[in-house]
Amino acid sequence: MEQAGHEAQGGARRAESERARPLPALPENAAAARAHVVALLHSGFCEIDETTIDDVILADVLLVTSELVTNALRHGGGITDFVAELADDGLRIMVADASDQPPVTVTHRPGEHTVGGYGWLLVCRLAKSVAVTVTGPGKRIEALLRLS
């Protein structure tokens, strides 16, 4: 019995170290950021399948990751920091960029079909919480996403 308790403690330490995985470098694009998030989820859940995480939740997580990274690259002057970590209440994604300008919400009239302007609305709608912090020469956006 004592050995099982020791294994459980070791497992808890291993799980704690897998809550965040360091990136070798900042993601160059949304695909690299999504790959990092998927690897993190694999490490936290051992394997992502229909018994561990809902397909819709996974799609939401990857969509928000893509939107935050793409916006930082397209509108924010480039990514200055990126963190993805498992938290007690979900998955926390943090993207920092070089612009101190907050994200813009584009108003679309009913029936108007325009390209672009929907990403920030999607992030705000899909995330459990979103915070924007101006950090001097840039900003940091943190989104908490549910995993269950």
Side-chain angles (χ1 to χ4, degrees), residues 41-116:
L41 293 174
H42 273 289
S43 73
F45 294 99
C46 297
E47 188 167 324
I48 300 171
D49 62 25
E50 62 278 350
T51 63
T52 57
I53 190 167
D54 185 279
D55 287 344
V56 173
I57 291 173
L58 179 59
D60 290 350
V61 163
L62 297 178
L63 178 59
V64 169
T65 300
S66 291
E67 285 297 332
L68 293 177
V69 168
T70 299
N71 287 347
L73 293 169
R74 184 174 291 162
H75 307 293
I79 298 170
T80 58
D81 198 7
F82 176 87
V83 176
E85 62 185 352
L86 296 173
D88 290 335
D89 46 357
L91 174 73
R92 190 172 317 281
I93 302 288
M94 188 281 296
V95 179
D97 65 37
S99 171
D100 62 357
Q101 297 300 306
V104 175
T105 300
V106 177
T107 304
H108 297 278
R109 290 178 280 196
E112 180 181 41
H113 301 289
T114 59
V115 175

